[in-house]
Short mmCIF file of all heavy atoms in Angstrom, two decimals:
data_model
loop_
_atom_site.label_atom_id
_atom_site.label_comp_id
_atom_site.label_asym_id
_atom_site.label_seq_id
_atom_site.Cartn_x
_atom_site.Cartn_y
_atom_site.Cartn_z
N VAL J 252 -14.76 17.82 4.13
CA VAL J 252 -13.93 17.44 2.98
C VAL J 252 -13.97 18.53 1.91
O VAL J 252 -12.94 18.91 1.35
CB VAL J 252 -14.39 16.06 2.43
CG1 VAL J 252 -13.87 15.84 1.03
CG2 VAL J 252 -13.90 14.95 3.35
N SER J 253 -15.17 19.09 1.66
CA SER J 253 -15.25 20.10 0.59
C SER J 253 -14.41 21.33 0.94
O SER J 253 -13.70 21.86 0.09
CB SER J 253 -16.70 20.48 0.32
OG SER J 253 -17.34 20.80 1.53
N ASP J 254 -14.44 21.77 2.21
CA ASP J 254 -13.66 22.95 2.60
C ASP J 254 -12.16 22.69 2.53
O ASP J 254 -11.41 23.48 1.97
CB ASP J 254 -14.01 23.38 4.03
CG ASP J 254 -15.39 24.01 4.10
OD1 ASP J 254 -15.98 24.24 3.02
OD2 ASP J 254 -15.85 24.27 5.22
N VAL J 255 -11.74 21.57 3.13
CA VAL J 255 -10.30 21.33 3.24
C VAL J 255 -9.68 21.10 1.86
O VAL J 255 -8.59 21.58 1.57
CB VAL J 255 -10.00 20.15 4.19
CG1 VAL J 255 -8.52 19.80 4.16
CG2 VAL J 255 -10.43 20.50 5.61
N PHE J 256 -10.38 20.36 0.98
CA PHE J 256 -9.80 20.13 -0.35
C PHE J 256 -9.84 21.40 -1.20
O PHE J 256 -8.96 21.62 -2.02
CB PHE J 256 -10.50 18.97 -1.06
CG PHE J 256 -9.98 17.63 -0.61
CD1 PHE J 256 -10.45 17.06 0.55
CD2 PHE J 256 -9.00 16.97 -1.33
CE1 PHE J 256 -9.97 15.84 0.99
CE2 PHE J 256 -8.51 15.75 -0.90
CZ PHE J 256 -9.00 15.18 0.27
N ALA J 257 -10.86 22.27 -0.98
CA ALA J 257 -10.91 23.52 -1.74
C ALA J 257 -9.83 24.48 -1.24
O ALA J 257 -9.15 25.13 -2.03
CB ALA J 257 -12.30 24.14 -1.61
N GLN J 258 -9.67 24.56 0.09
CA GLN J 258 -8.68 25.50 0.64
C GLN J 258 -7.99 24.93 1.86
O GLN J 258 -8.36 25.24 3.00
CB GLN J 258 -9.38 26.81 1.01
CG GLN J 258 -9.25 27.83 -0.09
CD GLN J 258 -9.87 29.13 0.29
OE1 GLN J 258 -10.81 29.20 1.09
NE2 GLN J 258 -9.35 30.20 -0.28
N PRO J 259 -7.00 24.07 1.64
CA PRO J 259 -6.28 23.51 2.79
C PRO J 259 -5.58 24.63 3.56
O PRO J 259 -4.88 25.46 2.95
CB PRO J 259 -5.28 22.54 2.16
CG PRO J 259 -5.23 22.88 0.71
CD PRO J 259 -6.50 23.58 0.36
N GLN J 260 -5.81 24.68 4.88
CA GLN J 260 -5.25 25.77 5.68
C GLN J 260 -3.81 25.51 6.11
O GLN J 260 -3.00 26.40 6.16
CB GLN J 260 -6.11 25.99 6.93
CG GLN J 260 -7.53 26.42 6.63
CD GLN J 260 -7.57 27.76 5.91
OE1 GLN J 260 -6.96 28.72 6.35
NE2 GLN J 260 -8.27 27.82 4.78
N HIS J 261 -3.49 24.26 6.40
CA HIS J 261 -2.17 23.97 6.95
C HIS J 261 -1.18 23.57 5.85
O HIS J 261 -1.55 22.86 4.91
CB HIS J 261 -2.29 22.85 7.98
CG HIS J 261 -1.12 22.83 8.93
ND1 HIS J 261 0.10 22.29 8.57
CD2 HIS J 261 -0.98 23.29 10.20
CE1 HIS J 261 0.93 22.41 9.60
NE2 HIS J 261 0.31 23.02 10.59
N ALA J 262 0.05 24.02 6.00
CA ALA J 262 1.08 23.73 5.00
C ALA J 262 1.28 22.23 4.82
O ALA J 262 1.54 21.75 3.71
CB ALA J 262 2.40 24.38 5.41
N TYR J 263 1.11 21.47 5.91
CA TYR J 263 1.31 20.02 5.84
C TYR J 263 0.22 19.36 4.99
O TYR J 263 0.50 18.46 4.20
CB TYR J 263 1.32 19.44 7.25
CG TYR J 263 1.56 17.96 7.32
CD1 TYR J 263 2.79 17.42 6.94
CD2 TYR J 263 0.55 17.08 7.74
CE1 TYR J 263 3.02 16.06 6.99
CE2 TYR J 263 0.77 15.72 7.79
CZ TYR J 263 2.00 15.21 7.43
OH TYR J 263 2.22 13.87 7.47
N THR J 264 -1.03 19.83 5.12
CA THR J 264 -2.12 19.31 4.28
C THR J 264 -1.81 19.60 2.82
O THR J 264 -1.98 18.73 1.95
CB THR J 264 -3.45 19.98 4.67
OG1 THR J 264 -3.55 20.03 6.09
CG2 THR J 264 -4.63 19.21 4.11
N ARG J 265 -1.35 20.82 2.54
CA ARG J 265 -1.02 21.17 1.15
C ARG J 265 0.10 20.28 0.64
O ARG J 265 0.08 19.83 -0.50
CB ARG J 265 -0.62 22.65 1.06
CG ARG J 265 -1.80 23.60 1.25
CD ARG J 265 -1.45 25.01 0.79
NE ARG J 265 -0.48 25.65 1.67
CZ ARG J 265 -0.80 26.35 2.76
NH1 ARG J 265 -2.06 26.50 3.09
NH2 ARG J 265 0.13 26.89 3.51
N ALA J 266 1.09 20.00 1.51
CA ALA J 266 2.22 19.17 1.09
C ALA J 266 1.76 17.73 0.79
O ALA J 266 2.21 17.12 -0.18
CB ALA J 266 3.29 19.16 2.18
N LEU J 267 0.84 17.21 1.62
CA LEU J 267 0.33 15.85 1.36
C LEU J 267 -0.40 15.81 0.02
O LEU J 267 -0.26 14.86 -0.75
CB LEU J 267 -0.63 15.42 2.47
CG LEU J 267 -0.04 14.97 3.80
CD1 LEU J 267 -1.15 14.56 4.75
CD2 LEU J 267 0.94 13.81 3.61
N LEU J 268 -1.17 16.85 -0.27
CA LEU J 268 -1.89 16.90 -1.54
C LEU J 268 -0.92 16.94 -2.72
O LEU J 268 -1.14 16.29 -3.73
CB LEU J 268 -2.82 18.12 -1.58
CG LEU J 268 -4.19 17.90 -0.95
CD1 LEU J 268 -4.91 19.23 -0.76
CD2 LEU J 268 -5.04 16.98 -1.82
N ALA J 269 0.18 17.71 -2.55
CA ALA J 269 1.15 17.83 -3.64
C ALA J 269 1.90 16.52 -3.86
O ALA J 269 2.43 16.27 -4.94
CB ALA J 269 2.13 18.96 -3.35
N ALA J 270 1.94 15.66 -2.82
CA ALA J 270 2.65 14.39 -2.94
C ALA J 270 1.75 13.28 -3.47
O ALA J 270 2.21 12.16 -3.69
CB ALA J 270 3.23 13.99 -1.58
N THR J 271 0.47 13.58 -3.66
CA THR J 271 -0.47 12.57 -4.16
C THR J 271 -0.45 12.54 -5.69
O THR J 271 -0.62 13.59 -6.31
CB THR J 271 -1.90 12.89 -3.67
OG1 THR J 271 -1.85 13.04 -2.25
CG2 THR J 271 -2.87 11.79 -4.02
N PRO J 272 -0.18 11.37 -6.28
CA PRO J 272 -0.06 11.33 -7.75
C PRO J 272 -1.38 11.60 -8.47
O PRO J 272 -2.44 11.24 -7.98
CB PRO J 272 0.43 9.90 -8.02
CG PRO J 272 0.16 9.12 -6.79
CD PRO J 272 0.09 10.08 -5.65
N ARG J 273 -1.30 12.28 -9.61
CA ARG J 273 -2.48 12.63 -10.42
C ARG J 273 -2.24 12.17 -11.84
O ARG J 273 -1.50 12.80 -12.59
CB ARG J 273 -2.65 14.16 -10.44
CG ARG J 273 -2.84 14.81 -9.10
CD ARG J 273 -4.15 14.50 -8.50
NE ARG J 273 -5.28 14.83 -9.35
CZ ARG J 273 -6.13 15.83 -9.09
NH1 ARG J 273 -5.96 16.61 -8.07
NH2 ARG J 273 -7.16 16.04 -9.89
N PHE J 274 -2.92 11.10 -12.27
CA PHE J 274 -2.73 10.67 -13.66
C PHE J 274 -3.47 11.58 -14.62
O PHE J 274 -3.20 11.62 -15.80
CB PHE J 274 -3.19 9.22 -13.84
CG PHE J 274 -4.67 9.04 -13.84
CD1 PHE J 274 -5.40 9.22 -15.01
CD2 PHE J 274 -5.35 8.71 -12.68
CE1 PHE J 274 -6.77 9.08 -15.02
CE2 PHE J 274 -6.72 8.57 -12.69
CZ PHE J 274 -7.43 8.76 -13.85
N ASP J 275 -4.46 12.32 -14.08
CA ASP J 275 -5.29 13.14 -14.95
C ASP J 275 -4.63 14.46 -15.30
O ASP J 275 -5.15 15.22 -16.09
CB ASP J 275 -6.63 13.41 -14.27
CG ASP J 275 -6.46 14.12 -12.93
OD1 ASP J 275 -5.44 13.86 -12.26
OD2 ASP J 275 -7.32 14.93 -12.57
N ARG J 276 -3.49 14.74 -14.69
CA ARG J 276 -2.82 16.00 -14.98
C ARG J 276 -1.47 15.73 -15.61
O ARG J 276 -0.50 15.48 -14.90
CB ARG J 276 -2.62 16.83 -13.71
CG ARG J 276 -3.91 17.30 -13.14
CD ARG J 276 -3.67 18.32 -12.07
NE ARG J 276 -4.93 18.73 -11.48
CZ ARG J 276 -5.04 19.27 -10.28
NH1 ARG J 276 -3.97 19.45 -9.54
NH2 ARG J 276 -6.22 19.61 -9.82
N PRO J 277 -1.41 15.76 -16.95
CA PRO J 277 -0.13 15.49 -17.62
C PRO J 277 0.91 16.51 -17.15
O PRO J 277 0.60 17.67 -16.97
CB PRO J 277 -0.46 15.70 -19.10
CG PRO J 277 -1.94 15.63 -19.21
CD PRO J 277 -2.49 16.08 -17.90
N GLY J 278 2.10 16.03 -16.93
CA GLY J 278 3.16 16.91 -16.51
C GLY J 278 3.13 17.24 -15.03
O GLY J 278 3.93 18.03 -14.54
N HIS J 279 2.20 16.63 -14.30
CA HIS J 279 2.14 16.86 -12.85
C HIS J 279 3.31 16.14 -12.19
O HIS J 279 3.47 14.94 -12.34
CB HIS J 279 0.82 16.31 -12.31
CG HIS J 279 0.71 16.31 -10.82
ND1 HIS J 279 0.35 17.43 -10.12
CD2 HIS J 279 0.94 15.34 -9.91
CE1 HIS J 279 0.35 17.14 -8.82
NE2 HIS J 279 0.70 15.88 -8.67
N THR J 280 4.17 16.90 -11.52
CA THR J 280 5.28 16.23 -10.86
C THR J 280 4.99 16.11 -9.38
O THR J 280 4.45 17.02 -8.76
CB THR J 280 6.61 16.99 -11.04
OG1 THR J 280 6.33 18.38 -10.91
CG2 THR J 280 7.22 16.71 -12.39
N LEU J 281 5.33 14.94 -8.86
CA LEU J 281 5.10 14.69 -7.45
C LEU J 281 6.10 15.48 -6.64
O LEU J 281 7.28 15.53 -6.95
CB LEU J 281 5.33 13.21 -7.15
CG LEU J 281 4.33 12.24 -7.76
CD1 LEU J 281 4.66 10.84 -7.31
CD2 LEU J 281 2.94 12.62 -7.31
N VAL J 282 5.62 16.12 -5.60
CA VAL J 282 6.52 16.87 -4.72
C VAL J 282 6.54 16.17 -3.36
O VAL J 282 5.53 16.17 -2.66
CB VAL J 282 6.04 18.32 -4.56
CG1 VAL J 282 7.07 19.13 -3.80
CG2 VAL J 282 5.73 18.94 -5.90
#
Side-chain angles (χ1 to χ4, degrees):
Chain J
V252 163
S253 51
D254 288 352
V255 173
F256 279 82
Q258 264 183 332
Q260 297 297 310
H261 200 282
Y263 181 67
T264 317
R265 289 195 291 272
L267 283 181
L268 275 167
T271 307
R273 301 289 305 250
F274 74 85
D275 59 327
R276 292 191 183 158
H279 172 82
T280 41
L281 293 182
V282 187

